[in-house]
Amino acid sequence: MENPGTSGSKSTRRAVAVLCGASSGLGYAVARVMARDGYQLVIGSRTPEAAAERLRQETGGAIIAVAGDLAEPGTADALLAAAERCGGLDALLLNHGGPPVKTFVETADDEWESAFRLMVQGPIRLLRKAVPLFRRCGGGRVVAVTSFSASAVELRRACCASTRATSSCTWRTSRSRVAF
């Protein structure tokens, strides 16, 4: 297997990864591993600067922080523009937080809308906009993080289960239709 931190036969440039929700938790853990493996990272979250600095100190890696909310249309453009400045896109991690833990009735309309924008529209928008860049770079890998609640519904996680199930269905249908 080739070193994942280089883009192999594509060129001699360092491989570039865009990671969403990378300022803490699973996203941060993935960023740490990828930085140690030699990837140049574009990390996105609402407040990525402190995480980017920690990653630089821990790994010595090249880390670019992009502040933004995945629910906002401009965030996808900013993340991909940063990747282009790095030379391309080889990997994409679609990761984000979730909505409040509430029942179906307790969840207000604005909470449903907010969750849908963050957990469905935002990642779909980013993936759709990333496809041309992946194609120009000769392909790449996408990992979409979801939750057990996409298939194991809990009463107090109605909004989370609904939006994650929608995302999961979208990833399953898109992977067979999007060829890099």
Side-chain angles (χ1 to χ4, degrees), residues 39-51:
Y39 278 86
Q40 185 167 349
L41 301 181
V42 176
I43 66 165
S45 76
R46 290 181 186 106
T47 56
E49 287 299 337

Side-chain angles (χ1 to χ4, degrees), residues 4-5 10 15 21 24 30 37 40 42-43 49 58 65 87 91 93-95 99-100 111 126 144 154 160 168 171 180:
K10 296 176 195 173
S24 64
V30 171
D37 283 350
Q40 185 167 349
V42 176
I43 66 165
E49 287 299 337
E58 291 174 4
L93 175 68
L94 299 169
N95 178 49
E111 291 171 315
L126 179 55
E154 291 182 37
C160 184
S168 293
W171 307 141
F180 299 136

Side-chain angles (χ1 to χ4, degrees), residues 47-70:
T47 56
E49 287 299 337
E53 186 55 38
R54 276 194 323 273
L55 285 165
R56 289 182 200 107
Q57 291 174 1
E58 291 174 4
T59 68
I63 316 294
I64 295 172
V66 175
D69 183 337
L70 197 55

Side-chain angles (χ1 to χ4, degrees), residues 95-118:
N95 178 49
H96 48 73
V101 177
K102 295 182 176 181
T103 65
F104 174 81
V105 173
E106 293 169 340
T107 307
D109 287 351
D110 64 324
E111 291 171 315
W112 281 97
E113 291 170 8
S114 177
F116 190 81
R117 283 193 314 274
L118 172 65

